[in-house]
Amino acid sequence: MRMGEMPFFVEGQIVDFSIQYGVAYVKVQNGNVYNIHPNTPGINFEKLRKGQIVRLEVTTRLTHVLSACIVNKG
C-alpha cells in the first residue's frame, strides 16, 4: 500500500476466472473490475465460482485487492 492510501470495502460478483492463469475477475457496482489471485489473503482460490459475491478490501489503486472473502456461495 502506498503512503496515504486508505483501504475500504466493496462487494462484487465474480464474472469470470481462470484457474490456469491464476486470476478471478470481480465486477463491483460502479463497473470497476478487480483481480483476485491465489495469494489474495482471505480466500481459497480453488473454491471460487462464477456468480459468487465477494467482499474485497481495496484501495484507490484500481484492481489492487488487499484481501477478499466470499459473501455467498453463488
Side-chain angles (χ1 to χ4, degrees), residues 37-69:
H37 304 274
N39 61 348
T40 300
I43 58 154
N44 180 339
F45 192 82
E46 302 292 323
K47 293 187 177 185
L48 295 180
R49 301 289 176 258
K50 197 171 181 177
Q52 286 177 315
I53 303 299
V54 180
R55 186 174 192 214
L56 307 174
E57 182 183 14
V58 299
T59 68
T60 53
R61 224 170 81 196
L62 187 58
T63 77
H64 185 71
V65 177
L66 301 174
S67 68
C69 68

Side-chain angles (χ1 to χ4, degrees), residues 4-65:
E5 286 183 345
M6 295 296 296
F8 58 97
F9 291 93
V10 294
E11 286 188 7
Q13 184 175 31
I14 297 177
V15 294
D16 204 4
F17 66 92
S18 171
I19 298 276
Q20 179 182 0
Y21 294 108
V23 64
Y25 302 98
V26 180
K27 188 172 185 177
V28 299
Q29 189 173 13
N30 69 1
N32 287 348
V33 177
Y34 292 89
N35 304 326
I36 52 180
H37 304 274
N39 61 348
T40 300
I43 58 154
N44 180 339
F45 192 82
E46 302 292 323
K47 293 187 177 185
L48 295 180
R49 301 289 176 258
K50 197 171 181 177
Q52 286 177 315
I53 303 299
V54 180
R55 186 174 192 214
L56 307 174
E57 182 183 14
V58 299
T59 68
T60 53
R61 224 170 81 196
L62 187 58
T63 77
H64 185 71
V65 177

